[in-house]
Amino acid sequence: MSESANLTPFEILARYERLSLAHAQDVQDRMEAPGLWRGIGYRVGSRLFVSAIDEINELLAVPVLTPVPLTQPWLMGVANVRGNLVPVIDFNRFLFGERTQPTERTRLLIVRQGGGSVALMVDEVFGQRTVDEEQRRESISEDDPRLTRFVGERVAVGEQRLGVFSMNRLVRAPDFRQAAA
């Protein structure tokens, strides 16, 4: 018979709370450890990326889009995000020239640029990824010429090799800023 079988519902909840708080503190201690870098992992086409957690403001399911005529093919339209019109970019089409096929896993990464925000449609979001100093030392250079201006290195996180993608470089790129056709 388990230990929790003799506990009242209140005692069980109190135990879960203690365990949860202990776990949260352990996670917080690991996240604040020196030499750790935190990012959000996502997939664009067949490529896996991670961007600094402070470069991505929000993750959203894809809302209804309003097309904008006479724009680049990678600008899918604008979305109303809490009263603000946000341009939505097909990130795969911008980077690789291939249209994203939306699925239930497709998400928007909201990124600040200039005086507002822009939404990048990605195939899938994997959530938070942590990279330590050793993983950074063992990183390899990006070899795809379409990505080298945004991705400085590729790091191994578990079984995955993630390109460290700079959203700051992206939003400053002249071709990204020029959405008019």
Side-chain angles (χ1 to χ4, degrees), residues 46-68:
S46 62
R47 290 295 307 265
L48 303 177
F49 297 105
V50 62
S51 292
I53 205 162
D54 61 350
E55 289 186 321
I56 297 174
N57 294 350
E58 192 171 355
L59 304 170
L60 295 176
V62 181
V64 174
L65 302 178
T66 302
V68 179

Side-chain angles (χ1 to χ4, degrees), residues 37 50-58 110-112 165-169:
W37 179 87
V50 62
S51 292
I53 205 162
D54 61 350
E55 289 186 321
I56 297 174
N57 294 350
E58 192 171 355
I110 307 295
V111 177
R112 280 202 191 104
F165 197 100
S166 171
M167 293 296 179
N168 291 326
R169 289 186 203 159

